[in-house]
Amino acid sequence: QRRDMGRRNCHLIVSPLMKHLLTLAALCSLLLVASATDQCSGFSSCGSCLANKFCGWCSPSPVVYADGTLGHRCADQRDGKWDCFHLYQTSTCVAGYVCNAETAQCELTVPGEGDRLEDCQAGCHKAADVYKCNSDSMTCELVPSGTPGATSLDICSQQCHANYACNKESYGCDPVEYGTGIPLSQCETQCQVHNNTPIALVGNWRGLQISNGNLAGEWDFFFGEQTLTVVDPSNVKTTAMLSSFVDELEALVVAGSQTGGRYRMKYSLGGDGPETRHMTLAVGVKDSRSPKDFEEAMVTEGQAVFVLAACKDGVACKFDSIVSSLRPTLSSSLQSPAPVKAGNSTDRCNVHTDCSSCLGASLCGWCSAPVVYDDGSKGFQCAGFDEAGQANPPYKCFGLYKRTDCADYACDTTTMQCKLVPEGTGTSREACENSCKEGPVAKVYRCDQSTTQCEEAPPGTPGASSLDICQLTCSEIKPHNTTPADMQGEWRGLAVQLGYTKGEYVFVATENSVEMRSLSGAVVFVAHASTGSEGSDVVFQVTQGPYAGKSLYGLFQLTSGPETLIATLALKPNAAPVSFDAAMQEGLVFVLLKCLDGKPCSFHKHTGAINSNIEISYI
């Protein structure tokens, strides 16, 4: 029809234009070529395809054009050049061969389907047996090929077992639905209480409480190898014995107003800055479970969330220690040598207050953390059995229970090797070696302003951040009179430069101005802000405070934690700092926190009006 229409159109055109016969002849030729296109691809069965002129059927696969693109199984002979690499039919539909995967034999199929016999035989192999786990009998059963969830016998055998998950309340392994847990042996290995602090946490940390109803001011934490000491903004000290369990921590308070109380915690490390490492710590209600997640701890009464910073190795940063030694001074109630009484029974082992004397006594053992008796009595570390073979009263040791020797090991963080340490100051060799490992170093990136591209940089590079943060902020910097957009907002933070003044600072940045004050109300600076120049990210032209009349040049690096953005701001008068490390020694350096959008977090009571005597203006 197209070809006939083309001819009719040519007549209509040619008749009144005979003088241009040659030109029209060429035009008709083009129309005839254009009409010779694909009119067959719309037919989806061999029978309907071959009922039409110029149509042929390629089975079992479509034709392939000269440029490598696939066509259709019903192809127009007049169409562009193509090939059928299989069984091509033009008049009647021929039955080809298909592979029976069960018998690995090629069998005739219906007309219009299948391949040539030799092509079928070349690829016809018996399908490998597949198996699926019967979750009732926990055995691998042979199933038809293509069954959802079916695998090889080896893989099925590895996976087909009763599943367990660690119960963080009972410290045991509970059976769970198949496919949602891990093997019992693996669960039992993971679901153990260790009497040592994870190595990444050991050291001095400074930070702020960020949960709703938080207490303003600086908090200081010291994580020893088995202890935790906390000093709150009122300078009240609390000391606890610390143990770790799966991804949680547990602190048994041994000195302070909450002596005897147990607190369970979750933590998340990450979002490191150029000078400091960062941790978000969620603390549960006393003598209760750990927070479900950070979101719950942010808004639940009795729970708390802290963001903490610790100095990185190999940089200028140095925090003052809040403890003189790793060993806590126990409260008088826990120092008492008197046996614990439970009804008419006593544990005679409690009189031994050190590991050596404890193991020298018959039927006694030393727990690396105070035991917990079933009647709720406060625990001692030396506990055992009576002559009748009973633990009287019954107890639980959630640490390491020793009955062989008192050798202790601690991780040397310089060599990352476990070394012998004085009795009572370390942990078992196994526990030490499990935790004394260097973690993977996260990749960091710095913006190349000449190309506005993020390039990988060595850890600790000034201005380096995660790839997400870098890509968010990497754009051409052109100095202009406005505060950088990612700096604007309400921030709380700490000074971290050498010789820092302890305490919380508040920082408010609007579109054109910034203000920094201490929690006591002392002005650090009030300034007009502009984006960076002369090697800096930002410039503050100070109008109030000790630097009034001067310009502070700053480096600004941004990262994030679960609930907050975390920024490092380094400032130096009159010239940009060479690096964050240099600013630590000759300028001002702050670690600042800002609530992430969409999180149950607000700093306005600190930045808008710190207390009844102090107000921070939004310049």
Side-chain angles (χ1 to χ4, degrees):
Q1 290 178 347
R2 269 173 136 183
R3 189 180 292 268
D4 291 342
M5 186 178 293
R7 290 194 178 95
R8 287 197 297 272
N9 287 342
C10 279
H11 278 300
L12 290 174
I13 296 170
V14 171
S15 297
L17 300 173
M18 293 298 294
K19 294 181 181 180
H20 305 288
L21 184 59
L22 292 176
T23 302
L24 288 171
L27 177 59
C28 286
S29 177
L30 289 174
L31 285 169
L32 289 172
V33 171
S35 67
T37 57
D38 174 24
Q39 296 180 348
C40 302
S41 60
F43 302 108
S44 59
S45 67
C46 179
S48 61
C49 176
L50 301 189
N52 292 271
K53 293 181 179 180
F54 300 108
C55 294
W57 182 258
C58 186
S59 178
S61 303
V63 299
V64 180
Y65 287 95
D67 62 0
T69 58
L70 290 177
H72 296 80
R73 295 180 70 183
C74 188
D76 193 315
Q77 195 72 16
R78 301 163 297 179
D79 199 1
K81 293 182 178 181
W82 49 258
D83 294 311
C84 174
F85 294 102
H86 302 279
L87 182 59
Y88 186 60
Q89 300 138 80
T90 58
S91 57
T92 58
C93 295
V94 177
Y97 290 84
V98 294
C99 179
N100 183 328
E102 300 297 326
T103 63
Q105 299 293 318
C106 288
E107 301 173 350
L108 279 172
T109 185
V110 297
E113 298 299 327
D115 207 341
R116 293 178 297 202
L117 179 60
E118 59 269 27
D119 289 336
C120 174
Q121 290 175 334
C124 188
H125 307 288
K126 186 175 181 180
D129 288 340
V130 291
Y131 296 81
K132 187 172 183 179
C133 181
N134 183 321
S135 58
D136 294 325
S137 63
M138 288 299 163
T139 57
C140 291
E141 298 179 347
L142 184 66
V143 293
S145 178
T147 300
T151 63
S152 68
L153 181 58
D154 285 345
I155 293 178
C156 179
S157 298
Q158 293 173 18
Q159 298 176 345
C160 191
H161 48 68
N163 279 204
Y164 294 83
C166 186
N167 184 322
K168 295 180 181 180
E169 300 300 321
S170 66
Y171 300 101
C173 291
D174 293 343
V176 294
E177 183 179 350
Y178 172 72
T180 63
I182 55 179
L184 180 60
S185 59
Q186 186 178 345
C187 178
E188 288 176 338
T189 299
Q190 293 183 1
C191 196
Q192 292 183 5
V193 177
H194 301 283
N195 68 316
N196 59 300
T197 305
I199 191 64
L201 273 57
V202 173
N204 294 296
W205 296 77
R206 303 170 56 213
L208 302 172
Q209 186 179 352
I210 66 167
S211 43
N212 291 351
N214 55 72
L215 180 61
E218 178 177 335
W219 290 74
D220 294 292
F221 288 67
F222 177 79
F223 288 87
E225 291 190 349
Q226 292 178 296
T227 62
L228 171 62
T229 302
V230 180
V231 177
D232 72 15
S234 301
N235 210 35
V236 174
K237 182 184 288 189
T238 300
T239 305
M241 299 299 296
L242 196 67
S243 58
S244 58
F245 175 70
V246 192
D247 58 350
E248 298 181 0
L249 303 172
E250 182 173 296
L252 170 63
V253 179
V254 295
S257 61
Q258 302 299 319
T259 296
R262 289 183 181 272
Y263 292 87
R264 296 177 68 173
M265 300 169 277
K266 286 185 179 293
Y267 68 94
S268 173
L269 295 168
D272 292 354
E275 296 289 321
T276 52
R277 300 184 294 119
H278 304 130
M279 169 170 56
T280 303
L281 180 70
V283 182
V285 176
K286 178 182 175 183
D287 296 327
S288 184
R289 62 174 177 81
S290 63
K292 181 175 65 176
D293 50 36
F294 293 108
E295 302 287 309
E296 179 189 71
M298 286 291 292
V299 299
T300 302
E301 184 177 356
Q303 298 188 15
V305 180
F306 301 86
V307 178
L308 307 174
C311 291
K312 296 170 71 172
D313 294 333
V315 296
C317 176
K318 181 177 176 60
F319 289 169
D320 297 330
S321 178
I322 59 172
V323 296
S324 57
S325 71
L326 297 181
R327 299 301 303 276
T329 300
L330 301 184
S331 67
S332 58
S333 63
L334 292 181
Q335 289 179 0
S336 170
V340 169
K341 293 185 177 182
N344 296 320
S345 302
T346 61
D347 186 338
R348 59 186 181 77
C349 296
N350 295 159
V351 297
H352 303 289
T353 58
D354 63 88
C355 179
S356 295
S357 64
C358 179
L359 298 195
S362 174
L363 302 178
C364 294
W366 181 262
C367 184
S368 57
V371 300
V372 179
Y373 288 91
D374 287 355
D375 68 350
S377 301
K378 290 182 173 66
F380 288 76
Q381 288 184 264
C382 189
F385 284 65
D386 61 21
E387 297 297 337
Q390 300 295 318
N392 195 1
Y395 59 86
K396 295 183 179 70
C397 173
F398 293 116
L400 174 68
Y401 190 72
K402 292 185 177 183
R403 296 194 63 250
T404 55
D405 62 67
C406 294
D408 276 5
Y409 293 83
C411 182
D412 183 332
T413 56
T414 303
T415 63
M416 300 308 292
Q417 298 293 320
C418 290
K419 296 184 176 181
L420 279 169
V421 293
E423 173 190 322
T425 63
T427 183
S428 69
R429 178 192 287 272
E430 180 183 10
C432 178
E433 290 177 344
N434 285 339
S435 63
C436 193
K437 300 174 183 177
E438 290 185 290
V441 178
K443 290 184 179 181
V444 293
Y445 299 80
R446 182 169 173 80
C447 179
D448 183 335
Q449 294 294 342
S450 63
T451 62
T452 64
Q453 298 294 315
C454 291
E455 299 182 349
E456 188 173 345
T461 300
S465 62
S466 67
L467 182 59
D468 287 345
I469 295 294
C470 180
Q471 291 175 337
L472 182 66
T473 59
C474 189
S475 58
E476 184 179 2
I477 296 179
K478 297 180 179 180
H480 52 87
N481 295 324
T482 185
T483 308
D486 52 8
M487 183 183 288
Q488 294 178 29
E490 303 174 349
W491 301 79
R492 300 169 60 202
L494 304 171
V496 298
Q497 72 274 0
L498 298 181
Y500 62 84
T501 299
K502 180 180 175 179
E504 180 178 342
Y505 290 81
V506 291
F507 177 64
V508 177
T510 63
E511 186 176 357
N512 302 109
S513 301
V514 294
E515 182 172 351
M516 175 83 76
R517 295 178 186 253
S518 69
L519 197 62
S520 64
V523 174
V524 180
F525 56 79
V526 176
H528 298 294
S530 60
T531 54
S533 62
E534 301 177 25
S536 67
D537 297 321
V538 67
V539 178
F540 297 156
Q541 295 175 327
V542 183
T543 59
Q544 296 180 42
Y547 298 95
K550 297 181 179 181
S551 292
L552 292 175
Y553 291 80
L555 301 177
F556 186 72
Q557 181 172 320
L558 192 63
T559 183
S560 65
E563 298 294 322
T564 61
L565 288 173
I566 306 173
T568 305
L569 174 64
L571 300 168
K572 182 184 175 184
N574 303 324
V578 176
S579 65
F580 285 97
D581 221 37
M584 292 288 291
Q585 304 175 63
E586 58 186 15
L588 302 173
V589 184
F590 299 90
V591 173
L592 303 171
L593 309 177
K594 184 172 78 169
C595 295
L596 282 169
D597 293 339
K599 296 290 186 176
C601 171
S602 174
F603 291 168
H604 187 68
K605 76 172 185 177
H606 300 281
T607 56
I610 300 174
N611 58 39
S612 58
N613 299 318
I614 305 167
E615 290 190 357
I616 297 298
S617 61
Y618 288 81
I619 310 163

